[in-house]
Amino acid sequence: MIYLDHNATTPPAPAVVAAMLPVLSSLWANSSSQHGPGQEARRALGAARSAVARVLGCKPVEVVFTSGATEANHMAVRGLLAAAAPERRRVVFSRIEHAGHLRLARALAESGVQVDFIPVLADGTLDLPAAAALIGPDVALVSLMAANNETGALMPVAEAAALAQAAGARLHVDATQFIGKQPFVFSTCGADAVSLSAHKFNGPKGVGALLLRQGTPFTAQTLGSQERGRRGGTENLAGIVGLAAALELLGDVSVEAARLAALRDALENGLIHALPATHIWCRSVPRLPGTSYLRFGQLSVDVVLQRLERLGVAASSGAACSSGGSEPSHVLTAMGVPADEALAAVRLSLGRTTTAEDVASLLALLPPLLEPLLQEEMLIAP
Ligand code: PLP
């Protein structure tokens, strides 16, 4: 199989699995227990917390372990909003946040919170003047992703931090797609809270963290004594050890970023050369090195994914599945892309296990399968 869906999830690194197995089999005691095995589990938890802090440039007390990014995103927004001054009741999101996060935005709006959305430009970047106009003294927090999971476009976190700071608002950053792919240091990133998820950087699924700047007013959403009262519930120690191991394996992410960008560029250039009807979104803006979001003319994404499947290639569509069928991606819609083009969107996302041979095979095998379909499409087009 050629796996080109790394933005959905990544395979756990063998060293991550090796680090987790002894925890699952032997370190199973509750880290809140006072007995010897409990203390041993607590020491492992502390060591993992210190490792996470070391790699991500924060203090160990600023790491709150969660079940992943969705939970971290929810607790950041609800927790920062609940702790904000009473005159700050507005929350600002971008229009292109992750689907789960936009559901939270809708739920907040339905419960009476004033919610505003920063638009994006046609090139997929954030409309900063619009952001500046929306972020005022009644805003409790701004919630913005660092990199978009569909297009890979990078968001202007430093500029958003300056706007939030000037307005006295908090900034939460969903760095789920960013951490592990781009250099990241919490202490200098300008955000008050940052979400991450282990399964996006070759760690296990179902574990993540919220980095919460020390001293930031925050109201816990899940009550309990764990995580210094900020997130109740017995910690997933094996997952947390796996998360820490995955972060420690990253090394200098710029080296892998350069390798992936070269592979991604070779893939895109090869596809455009063989199939000139290929259109690639966000190619001209800073984006994640391994993400390619494209369409082949207006070939339906289902047809393209079927051909890819036949070749043993796992990729994904940009469409959201609903009970009545597929809906165009909210990200492309926010960029002003017409529905028929958005419904043709295919996302190829490369990662640590992607090789030059994978790219060469795809370039050799896919164009001959799509070429006749594109010819047909041109003949029937009005
Ligand atoms: N935020 C972004 C930008 C994502 O890409 C994802 C996963 O696709 C999530 C949040 C949700 O992460 P998790 O699966 O850890 O809940």
Side-chain angles (χ1 to χ4, degrees):
M1 179 185 55
I2 299 177
Y3 184 75
L4 294 180
D5 203 11
H6 287 85
N7 285 14
T9 196
T10 57
V16 166
V17 177
M20 292 174 71
L21 286 177
V23 182
L24 283 168
S25 56
S26 309
L27 261 190
W28 45 262
N30 192 323
S31 59
S32 299
S33 298
Q34 294 308 311
H35 47 61
Q39 286 176 26
E40 212 186 319
R42 188 148 65 250
R43 274 195 295 278
L45 182 62
R49 197 183 304 283
S50 297
V52 170
R54 211 166 34 246
V55 177
L56 297 178
C58 63
K59 300 175 189 161
V61 296
E62 293 177 320
V63 179
V64 185
F65 290 115
T66 66
S67 65
T70 304
E71 185 192 350
N73 283 346
H74 278 56
M75 71 188 245
V77 170
R78 289 196 184 276
L80 292 171
L81 175 62
E87 65 276 15
R88 293 184 179 271
R89 290 295 93 189
R90 201 150 62 83
V91 183
V92 176
F93 293 83
S94 87
R95 270 199 200 294
I96 59 167
E97 293 306 302
H98 190 260
H101 208 42
L102 288 178
R103 281 182 189 217
L104 170 67
R106 270 201 300 278
L108 287 176
E110 280 162 19
S111 71
V113 175
Q114 197 188 332
V115 174
D116 287 308
F117 295 96
I118 309 168
V120 291
L121 304 175
D123 64 6
T125 58
L126 198 74
D127 184 340
L128 268 174
L134 282 173
I135 302 171
D138 58 336
V139 170
L141 81 140
V142 178
S143 187
L144 177 69
M145 61 191 356
N148 185 264
N149 48 301
E150 293 184 24
T151 64
L154 302 182
M155 296 296 130
V157 169
E159 289 83 346
L163 291 173
Q165 201 180 10
R170 301 288 171 198
L171 175 66
H172 162 248
V173 170
D174 176 359
T176 307
Q177 293 290 344
F178 189 89
I179 287 178
K181 298 174 183 146
Q182 296 282 284
F184 172 83
V185 180
F186 180 66
S187 62
T188 54
C189 77
D192 299 289
V194 168
S195 305
L196 60 120
S197 184
H199 74 101
K200 305 293 185 179
F201 47 84
N202 304 97
K205 273 160 267 293
V207 62
L210 181 69
L211 309 181
L212 189 58
R213 194 167 302 289
Q214 199 172 18
T216 304
F218 177 81
T219 305
Q221 300 300 301
T222 318
L223 305 183
S225 59
Q226 293 87 355
E227 301 299 295
R228 294 177 174 251
R230 294 166 299 183
R231 193 265 191 187
T234 304
E235 287 96 346
N236 166 11
L237 184 57
I240 289 167
V241 166
L243 185 161
L247 282 175
E248 287 190 303
L249 279 175
L250 288 175
D252 180 356
V253 293
S254 354
V255 174
E256 176 63 1
R259 187 189 78 90
L260 283 180
L263 285 183
R264 191 261 326 265
D265 291 348
L267 178 62
E268 291 185 343
N269 291 335
L271 287 172
I272 288 178
H273 180 73
L275 303 166
T278 306
H279 175 83
I280 298 160
W281 285 289
C282 296
R283 213 176 176 209
S284 59
V285 302
R287 59 182 169 148
L288 292 175
T291 305
S292 188
Y293 202 32
L294 41 83
R295 63 179 167 83
F296 301 102
Q298 288 187 18
L299 279 188
S300 134
V301 65
D302 293 337
V303 170
V304 177
L305 289 182
Q306 230 171 40
R307 299 305 188 277
L308 285 167
E309 184 82 41
R310 214 186 279 171
L311 298 174
V313 178
S316 101
S317 85
C321 291
S322 65
S323 50
S326 291
E327 283 173 16
S329 135
H330 69 280
V331 177
L332 292 175
T333 304
M335 288 162 59
V337 174
D340 48 357
E341 292 180 8
L343 283 170
V346 183
R347 183 185 67 188
L348 304 175
S349 49
L350 291 61
R352 287 192 178 238
T353 50
T354 309
T355 62
E357 289 71 38
D358 290 341
V359 170
S361 308
L362 189 66
L363 286 176
L365 300 172
L366 186 62
L369 285 186
L370 296 189
E371 170 105 64
L373 300 173
L374 284 165
Q375 296 283 356
E376 221 174 280
E377 189 187 58
M378 272 168 60
L379 286 177
I380 57 169

